[in-house]
Amino acid sequence: MHRPADFPAFPRCDEVPAWGALQAHFDGGGRSLDLRQAFAQDAGRFEALSQDAPHLFADLSRNLIDAKTEDLLLQLATQCRLAEQRDAMFAGAQVNGTEGRAVMHWLLRYPGSEASLAPAWAPSGMEALAAERAQVADTLDAMLAYAEAVRVDASITDVVNIGIGGSDLGPQMATLALAAFAKPGLRLHFVSNVDGHELDGVLQGLDPQRTLFLIASKTFTTLETMMNARSARDWFLAQGGRDTARHFAALTTNVAAAREFGITTTFGFWDWVGGRYSLWSAIGLPLAIAVGAENFRALLAGAHAMDAHFATAPLARNLPVRLALVDLWYRNFHRFTSRGLAPYHSGLRRLPAYLQQLEMESNGKRVDRQGRLLPYATSPVLWGEPGTNGQHAFFQMIHQGSDVVPVEFVAVAEAAHQLPGHQQALLANVLAQAQALMQGRSDPGGHRDFPGNRPSTLLLLQRLEPTSLGALIALQEHRVFCSGAMWGINSFDQWGVELGKVLAQDINARLSSGEIAGLDGATAAWVTRLARQSST
Ligand code: F6P
């Protein structure tokens, strides 16, 4: 079994000469780059700042950078030894130092031994990962065989995934995105919240003998998931459900805990897969049941193609690197606090929520790998809604508000429906938004004035299909890796979620007992008030 090598110390972004050079460039005029002038002065701007990457096309030309900025940013990446950091991840090093773990979600989509699926690239330490690779291939085969068996079992009409965070957002987002590939008539439900309204609402109208529950939890200890799983099992038995073994399966790294819970059908994964990076593992089972084994493998293949691009493309044409560098420029020099995400495809409506966890749980850190307080900002706030809905809600602020919010548009060229006119109107809107943000409109009188020069990125998929979705998600994963690596933080732990979990357990007990000794004044007042009401 592979033993992760230490992840060596790498220079932090503020410790390398390019950091100061970027600040000087920013102060010396870089901050006031005008996109309209930049396009007028450089006929090659679009060409230089856009590129093909596996299964998608990216336009970075409407960002507040020019050749000099990008050159300095690339120097920063080189001086932070970003390529070595990437290679260390691909060699199975202990990138997640605080948890003593390697970071190898990319291995889950590394092709198996089938000749038809030759890997697009081979990381240098691949031989040392032979045992992990074999386990991955075996588990994938078993999980996809199970998915196919569920799909042909006409007695199963509803699949309920019970999980939260990475055990919910990925499969839910992808199942919505790939709805056009799903088995007609098979209903997928996702229950995550400990709020009983959610589970109760899903259970209404379900027939226990026609329902499969998937209990998805990396740790198999998460309070919300365990409570929902117990309630689902109680409901199943109370409704006369028989054969729990057939109607419950667990997706987890903690197979022993799942067995103890009473679930015999289990699909495992490994501690080197972070929860928010686990869509490619057994956590993807609900998606595999919806779209079938072939489509699930196509998703993995699309992600692998992006892995190969990230691993081999020179930094200057490496899309995850280029996106991360723009992110860093905005966060640390322009000091923009958030990034908007606007997917122009309704199937991508959960993409903002998914990317929120990916980026903010990964890079929402304020100390470096050595535990030193950082003197600069890290993760932006990520937020968004599908276009065109966002246009009729918060785009007012993005166009005319006092803050600059770089927007990432994700568009899809071809629709999966036949309704005339809609797709063209949708594409016209995404282009118009990007144009309006950049061009603005002058109205010296005031209220109709659009300042313009507001940055955006446009990612284009030809079709929303398994390969392009896989590539899009892997792109975002690697981009987060790159900014985290240059910031010198551990992007793969999440200690910031622990405190609230511990306190909730204490408060839960106090809501039963009414005991307030030792609490702060506000919490004590609330416990007193709510203990009376929640005691049923
Ligand atoms: O509380 C945060 C978190 O640990 C996430 O990182 C994770 O995706 C989620 O909870 C669910 O965890 P699990 O899959 O172990 O139930």
Side-chain angles (χ1 to χ4, degrees):
M1 198 54 67
H2 169 75
R3 284 232 168 71
D6 279 352
F7 189 64
F10 289 98
R12 225 169 63 179
C13 55
D14 63 331
E15 295 168 347
V16 300
W19 183 258
L22 277 161
Q23 190 62 58
H25 169 60
F26 182 77
D27 295 336
R31 74 162 7 125
S32 43
L33 179 135
D34 187 288
L35 289 168
R36 295 151 293 197
Q37 283 173 16
F39 270 99
Q41 287 161 5
D42 180 4
R45 182 178 170 88
F46 183 85
E47 193 60 33
L49 289 172
S50 61
Q51 73 167 92
D52 281 306
H55 304 291
L56 53 86
F57 175 77
D59 169 15
L60 282 72
S61 69
R62 281 180 275 214
N63 283 293
L64 300 171
I65 56 171
D66 57 14
K68 169 104 190 277
T69 320
E70 208 183 22
D71 182 48
L72 288 170
L73 288 166
L74 286 164
Q75 288 180 33
L76 185 87
T78 304
Q79 292 167 10
C80 290
R81 294 166 40 209
L82 180 59
E84 278 174 67
Q85 300 202 47
R86 170 199 66 196
D87 295 346
M89 175 178 74
F90 285 133
Q94 196 176 289
V95 177
N96 179 357
T98 61
E99 296 182 309
R101 293 172 182 169
V103 170
M104 301 201 295
H105 49 274
W106 53 270
L107 192 67
L108 300 168
R109 54 229 190 188
Y110 196 82
S113 50
E114 306 92 328
S116 58
L117 284 175
W121 117 103
S124 59
M126 209 53 191
E127 307 79 51
L129 297 174
E132 282 76 7
R133 213 178 145 198
Q135 283 181 354
V136 166
D138 289 350
T139 308
L140 180 63
D141 287 348
M143 154 192 162
L144 294 183
Y146 180 79
E148 288 299 329
V150 172
R151 285 165 64 80
V152 296
D153 182 347
S155 73
I156 298 294
T157 54
D158 293 84
V159 177
V160 181
N161 189 78
I162 294 180
I164 196 165
S167 300
D168 165 63
L169 290 164
Q172 186 185 164
M173 174 274 296
T175 301
L176 289 168
L178 299 179
F181 297 81
K183 182 185 168 191
L186 183 61
R187 288 183 291 269
L188 271 286
H189 312 269
F190 290 86
V191 174
S192 53
N193 202 321
V194 76
D195 179 353
H197 294 106
E198 192 169 273
L199 178 62
D200 190 53
V202 167
L203 293 177
Q204 303 280 340
L206 289 188
D207 175 347
Q209 288 309 118
R210 302 179 75 82
T211 302
L212 171 65
F213 290 96
L214 303 176
I215 312 303
S217 175
K218 178 178 168 181
T219 55
F220 225 77
T221 58
T222 304
L223 183 140
E224 291 89 336
T225 301
M226 291 302 103
M227 187 170 265
N228 280 325
R230 278 192 295 273
S231 297
R233 188 179 52 188
D234 292 348
W235 171 88
F236 178 81
L237 295 172
Q239 297 291 312
R242 291 177 314 281
D243 198 357
T244 320
R246 193 172 115 75
H247 290 275
F248 283 78
L251 325 173
T252 184
T253 60
N254 191 354
V255 169
R259 295 245 160 87
E260 204 168 307
F261 184 89
I263 299 181
T264 47
T265 306
T266 58
F267 297 95
F269 59 110
W270 304 274
D271 70 358
W272 41 260
V273 183
R276 52 195 174 275
Y277 299 84
S278 64
L279 167 65
W280 328 98
S281 72
I283 293 295
L285 181 60
L287 172 67
I289 292 173
V291 302
E294 198 181 326
N295 284 317
F296 193 82
R297 285 193 194 273
L299 176 91
L300 300 184
H304 173 69
M306 189 58 77
D307 294 341
H309 167 77
F310 178 47
T312 59
L315 296 189
R317 300 296 291 174
N318 194 311
L319 188 55
V321 173
R322 293 179 95 185
L323 288 173
L325 288 172
V326 173
D327 293 343
L328 190 136
W329 175 241
Y330 287 160
R331 192 73 187 100
N332 298 126
F333 296 93
H334 281 282
R335 304 196 179 195
F336 299 150
T337 54
S338 80
R339 180 164 82 241
L341 187 78
Y344 277 67
H345 190 301
S346 75
L348 293 174
R349 60 190 172 279
R350 290 298 283 165
L351 186 65
Y354 174 80
L355 292 182
Q356 252 168 13
Q357 186 194 16
L358 181 64
E359 180 123 12
M360 294 166 74
E361 200 173 67
S362 297
N363 285 346
K365 313 282 164 70
R366 60 197 266 285
V367 296
D368 69 10
R369 295 179 155 277
Q370 285 73 40
R372 295 172 299 182
L373 201 59
L374 294 173
Y376 46 80
T378 57
S379 174
V381 174
L382 210 73
W383 58 290
E385 275 287 317
T388 57
N389 303 31
Q391 291 172 213
H392 295 274
F394 51 76
F395 266 65
Q396 162 65 38
M397 178 269 200
I398 295 181
H399 285 288
Q400 286 189 314
S402 52
D403 286 83
V404 174
V405 179
V407 181
E408 189 152 298
F409 297 105
V410 181
V412 179
E414 292 174 35
H417 64 78
Q418 304 295 327
L419 297 174
H422 287 256
Q423 181 65 7
Q424 191 172 308
L426 183 68
L427 292 174
N429 269 280
V430 68
L431 294 182
Q433 289 301 315
Q435 184 184 32
L437 284 170
M438 177 171 87
Q439 292 295 99
R441 187 178 64 191
S442 174
D443 173 28
H447 294 291
R448 289 184 170 80
D449 188 67
F450 288 66
N453 205 36
R454 300 215 155 177
S456 65
T457 298
L458 175 50
L459 303 179
L460 181 74
L461 314 184
Q462 190 58 31
R463 285 174 294 277
L464 185 55
E465 57 193 0
T467 43
S468 60
L469 182 70
L472 176 67
I473 300 307
L475 169 69
Q476 302 289 350
E477 289 178 348
H478 295 321
R479 164 207 214 150
V480 167
F481 173 88
C482 290
S483 47
M486 290 182 288
W487 281 327
I489 58 183
N490 179 358
S491 301
F492 298 94
D493 60 12
Q494 55 282 319
W495 300 108
V497 302
E498 294 302 322
L499 179 59
K501 288 185 190 174
V502 173
L503 295 181
Q505 283 187 359
D506 175 56
I507 293 176
N508 199 11
R510 290 171 184 274
L511 286 174
S512 298
S513 66
E515 177 60 60
I516 56 167
L519 288 178
D520 63 89
T523 311
W526 279 106
V527 165
T528 303
R529 187 182 186 92
L530 291 178
R532 278 181 253 128
Q533 297 171 24
S534 64
S535 56
T536 47

